[in-house]
Every structure is written in structure tokens, then in C-alpha cells.
Amino acid sequence: MDFPLFHLDLFGDRLLMAVIAVIHVIINHALAVGFIPLVVLFEYRGYRESKTNLAEGKKWDDLAYKLMFFAFIVTTSVGAITGVGIWFTAALISPASIGSLIRVFFGAWFTEWIIFVLEVVFIMYYFLTWKKTKDDPVQKWKHIKTGGALGIFSWLTMAIIVGILGFMMDTGAWAESKSFLDGFTNPFYIPQLFFRTPMAFIMAASIILFLTISYTKDDIKFRGKALKNIALWMFLWTPHVLAAGLYYYYKIPRLMEGNVPVAIGTQRFQNWYETILYFLIATIIVSMLTAVWAAFKPKRISKTAAFITIIITFLTLGTFERVREFIRKPYVISEYMYSNQLRVEDYDKYKFDGILKHAIYTSTPQITDANKLEAGENIFGLACSRCHTVSGVNSIVTKFENLLTPNGGDLPKDKIIEYIPVMNAGRYYMPPFPGNNDEIDVLADYIIEMQSNPIKHLGVQNKGVTISPGHAQ
Amino acid sequence: MLLFQIQPIPRDIPLPLPLPEWILISLLIISFLAHILFINLMLGGSVLTVIFQIMGLKKEKYDKLAYEIANTITVNKSLAVVLGVAPLLVINALYTIYFYSANALTANLWISIIPLLIIAFLVTYYHKYNWEKYKGNKRTHIAIGLVATLIFLFIPLIFLTNINLMIFPERWAEVRGAFSAMIFWNVIPRYLHFLAGTTAITGLFIVGYFGRKSFPFEERLSDFSREEIKRLGYKLTFYVTISQIVFGPFVLFTLPWGSVSWHLIGVVTTAALIASAAVYFLWKEIRPANISPGKYFITIVLLLSLTVLLMGWGRHVYRSDTLAPHQELMKVKTEAYYNLND
């Protein structure tokens, strides 16, 4: 409403966030939080072995270094920049919500930042002093401790951000207190954190397995030892993934009680919800089988097995993220702001005056006979474009076709007009329509026009803004 | 330009700032300068690596120098990125409407920072870790390094376009795509001023980094003397800081003049005078008669740090003065709309 709206009409705005955020989450779980502890353990093993068998100790140390090199390159480039990318993207696709959250959670994000700085300092120190400290046991021990600190700080960054993520889903918390601490006492916090931690360890273990098979192809005997260690690590954490995953799965509907009328569980949500169970079980089975194979047949294990484990763990985490995003809808901030960036409190104004009157940037502050189609498009932009496109991903035309004309044919205007005012009741993840009846009318005309003559809805990054005269000076 | 002097008056986020405004402003200026320091070193390091590698085609000792400088980019770039988070957070909180509006209007270019930086970082790593591998094929190696350098040179222009646009709401309606905001006539002067500053800081970094006792000079740069490298660094800083006598005023005179206040002129003039004192000491360092440069290093660093601090403050003064009328209009509207005073 108060911001010029960026929009991608082919891929949709959500996909931009999904791509950047998922890349970032995979890297921070699998190559940072989960990765460092195992690398440090290998380094420590090398340190211990060196006391009795220098050559053997060196093998562990070299392996740990090579693994760390991979993680260092990827986390400090793709990992770090996609993190910034999430900020940039949130501000583009949902400025009102991120702008609001930052007022309340500034302290949390600032603390997160301090820990990030320390994490960067530690990782620089840990990686860049590896070679020069490895031959002196005293320096080596200090180096290992740095690795330990790095692992802890890495985990801490996750512990903080999960608080914010949980808060966004927590019904009532915003209305009650809007406090930093609520981020950590909300009912989503513990289930999420207790799931993500062992999940990160398993994801990392599958990548380390893959890399270790590569790095030890000339020394099968050593490979056997390394793989046994990795397998042990996977055996250790897989039950935790199962337990925490099941707990999170069990908790979700109960946590959503404030959000979903208990009698209505839509099919779509049910499908997604059950998917996480299947993925969870698949992860457990695949990672256990791979671990057993790695432990007992290190010579014969193929990288494909490790690769499949990597993919399945990534998909499982991805599914949980998708469900988490689902749970939050129709809100972007639970009970305060809908996904369309409009505050719950302001809805009376929109339903009475219409949304166009309140929009800062619109070429149609009032609907006239001459501007109906344009007004319809502008309403689409203000009320729908955060999640929908005209003819791309999650196309609004397709949604109505699936609903009203599944067997084909022209969209019926009267049915569209009938549906829009009650869509929140039928599909809980849809915000209520933030406009009056005249606006529903022109929006319906626009959607019908887009069915026969689809034209991309352009974002301000292409077409600029038109200031509504009532909001200019 | 007259056509678009209409400015939008949006409503602000109807939630209180997370901290008192003066704390946020101080945090913004200081954390931004910390970020820019390491950006300077990263960018300057990348540019100098390419230049010295090219010189190294004729004299191998410069290739070694290039390698040593390339090594510093790894740490400097990561500190630059992580230190960028704090000013980003604060500017998001303090100037929400302005910053996000500018982001949206220039979004195609703005979001391209993400893939561009990832590519630049990966290419920089590749360039550094394959130095030996490309020993027989220096030209290709230099070309690879140049890819990263060009990206690093382009990205500040994107940032400048954004943070410049954000302080001129009366021009938002004029923008059609990022490029139209980039050609606002004061963006390039700011960019040139920034590039000069980058070079100056990097010069000092060379003096400090290679000149320190703990740097294994004899082992790593045996074809140079410490004095030679220090002099090189000082000369860079000296000549470029003098050139700011052109670039600095160029920025001042291309700023939309309406909000240039005596306060601003006072701050930047004071900064320029302090920089002149630094130039004096730099001159003393690079004089041929001075056989052991380094005596005034701390003095020069302190003087130029003070210059930068004042310039950072001046930057904020201009932003603040330019936005003050609009912020007042926005405040009145926000309070009325959300009945905040009820």
C-alpha cells in the first residue's frame, strides 16, 4: 500500500524467495551448523592419532582440511551472499511485513549479526591458520578449540533465527506483547530447533560421506576407518531426527489451532502435511542403509548412495520449510498482517472505501467507466500479486479455472463475484478480499479478460509508479 | 524534471523505532564506515592484483606482489560482507519507506547484486587457488581475475544508485527501470569520489600490511625492499587524496542544491582540511630524502580516519536535511491515518 510493488509475473515473487532461501538453508544446515562439528572431530582424531602414529594422524588431518576447504569456499561465497539475498528479497516482495518485523525484532537480528561476525572471524582463523598450526601440538590444540567455538557459534545463529521464524507463526503473540523474548518462548521454537539440529548433522554427514569417498579413493584402508566414523555419527543422530521430526509433525495441527477452524482441514494442507511424514521416514531409511553400507563395505560403497542420501535429506528439510510457510498463511505475521501485506486492523477501511482509495501508487484511485480494466489490474496488483501471477506460476486465472471451470470454458463472472468475498472461509490460507463490491466487480472482469488475453502484470521495476493524486504533494 | 516534482506521501510503518533515533543514527554511520573500510580493501585489493599481475608480465616480482595482495582479499571480502549486515539492518529500520521504495524501483539491478557477488567471490577464489596452475598462461589468469574485478567495480554503482534515489522521493515517479535512476547526475560524481577513496585507503593498507615487522618480507617478496613497498603504498594514497580536491567538490556541486546547508559545508570543509594535513605528512613520507618511510603512519591513519568519520557524518547531514520535510509530512499522515495519538 505504501510501497511501490516489485513483481515477477512469470515465476512469481514467492519463487524468488524460495530459491534464495532454500539455497541458503541447505548451505547453513549442511555445510556450516552440521558440517563443522564432524570436521573438528576428524581433526581431533588426527591430533590423538599423531601421538602414537604420525602418518595415520596426518591422514585424518588432511581429510579434515580438505573437507573444511570445500565448506569454506561454499559458505563464504554462496552461503553468505544468499543470506544477504534473503534480506534483499524480503524487502522486495513484502516490504511492509519485513519493515514491521524489524521494528520488533531488531534486537534479535542485531544479536544474530554479532554472532555472525564472530562466526566469520572464527572460520577465517580456523581455515586460514590450519596449515601453519598443524605441526605444533600446542598450536594444533588451540586450533581445534577454535573449531569447537566455530561450531558453537554456528549453532547459535540458527538458535536465534528459529526464534523469529517461530514467532511469525505463533498465533496471538503479536497482539499480546510484540516482544523479542516471545520469539523464544513460542510453542514452535523447541520443536523446530530440536528438529533442525540433528537434521543438519545428517545432511552434513551425507555430504561428508560423498566427499570422503572421493578424497580417499587411493587409500581404501583409511577410507574404511573414516567411513565407519561417519556412519557412527549418522547412527547417533538419525534417531534424534526421527524423534524430533515426529514431535514437530505431531505438534503442527495443535499449534495451528488458533489459525485453522478445527473442523476444516483442507485437502491441500493435508497432502503437504502427510508428505513430511513420508519424507521423514524415507530419510531415516535411506540414511541408515547408507550408513550401514559405509560402515561394513567401505570399498564397495558408491558415491551414488551418498548422493541419494544428500538429495533425500535436502528434500525432507525443504518439505518442512514448505509446510512451515503454509502454516503461516493467510498471515505473514500471525493475526497482525495478511500475506498481501495488509494489516488486519485496516480491513474495515478497505472493505468500505475500497483499496484503491488508500493506495499511494495507483493510476486509478477511483473506478470509472473508462478505466475498469486498468482498475482491475491495479486491484490485482495490490491485493493478489504477492502470491499470484497473471499467467505464470500460481496463476490467478488457473486457480479460478480449476475451481469454476475444471472441464474448460470461459470463466463465469457471477461465480467469481460470489466466491471472492468468501474465499477465506473455503481456503483458510487465502486472506479475505480487501476491497468493496465495485472492486470485486472490476477484478472479476480483469481475471476474465486475462483468461482470453493474458498480459503480464508488470512490477514497478519495469513500469515505474504513478502517484495517486490524493496521496501526493 | 519540473513535471515530476510531485512527491508521494506514504504512511510510515506504524510501529515505534526499536531504539532511540540518535542511537540508530550513530550505529548507522559507524557500522556503515566499518563496512566501507573493508569494501575499500576488497575492491582496492582486487584492482591492484590485476594491475600488478599485468606489470608482472614484464617483471616477475610484481606477480609475487599481486599474489600477496590477492591473499588479502579472502579475509577482507568476508569482513566486508558481514559488516554490511548492520548498516543494512539499521537503514531498514530507520528509513524503511525510503530504502524499500528505492529497492523496488531499481529491483532488477538491485537483486542482481546477489548472483554477481557469488560469481565474483567464486572467481576470486578460483583465481587465487590456481595461481601456480596458470603459471604458463598468465594472460588467461589475468583475464579471470579481471572478471571478478569488473564485477566488484560495478556493484558499488548499484548501491549508489539505490541510496541516492532513496533520498529524492520527488523523483520516484520519474524512474523507469534502474538505469534511469543511475543516470541521475550526481551518481557518477559520488562513484568517482568513492573510487578515489578506495584507492587511498588501499594504499595505506599496503603500507601497514606489508610494512609490519611480522610480515615475512624476505621470504615472500624478496625482490622488493620494505621501503619500496611502503613508498608505493604512500604514493598511491598521496596522489589520490590530492585528486579528491577535484572529486570532492564535484560531489558537493552536483548534489541537488536545495538541501545543502552551512552545517554540511562546515563538516565536509573541516574533513577536507584534516585530509590536507594528512597529505602534508604523506608528502613527508614519500620525499626521496626520507630513506625510511613509516614514521608518520599512525598520524596519517588517524587523520584520514577522522576525515572519513566527518565525511560519513556529512553524508548523513545531507540525507537528513533532504528528507526532513518529507519525513514530517509522512509523520503527520501516519498519525492521522492510524489514529496513533488516540
Side-chain angles (χ1 to χ4, degrees), chain A residues 98 236 256 276 346:
Chain A
I98 197 75
L236 175 64
M256 284 176 66
I276 51 179
D346 297 332

Side-chain angles (χ1 to χ4, degrees), chain A residues 104-105 167 173-180 182 336, chain B residues 15:
Chain A
V104 175
F105 280 100
F167 185 91
W174 186 277
E176 273 153 34
S177 65
K178 298 194 189 59
S179 134
F180 177 10
D182 281 344
Y336 175 72
Chain B
L15 293 164

Side-chain angles (χ1 to χ4, degrees), chain A residues 238-289:
Chain A
T238 311
H240 290 85
V241 169
L242 183 64
L246 286 175
Y247 178 60
Y248 196 12
Y249 174 80
Y250 167 80
K251 272 292 225 181
I252 284 170
R254 283 138 198 90
L255 293 171
M256 284 176 66
E257 253 152 45
N259 203 10
V260 181
V262 175
I264 302 172
T266 63
Q267 192 56 48
R268 193 127 179 273
F269 172 73
Q270 278 300 118
N271 292 343
W272 272 108
Y273 180 57
E274 269 144 31
T275 319
I276 51 179
L277 200 57
Y278 302 140
F279 271 102
L280 190 62
I281 292 168
T283 294
I284 304 302
I285 293 173
V286 169
S287 69
M288 292 275 72
L289 283 176

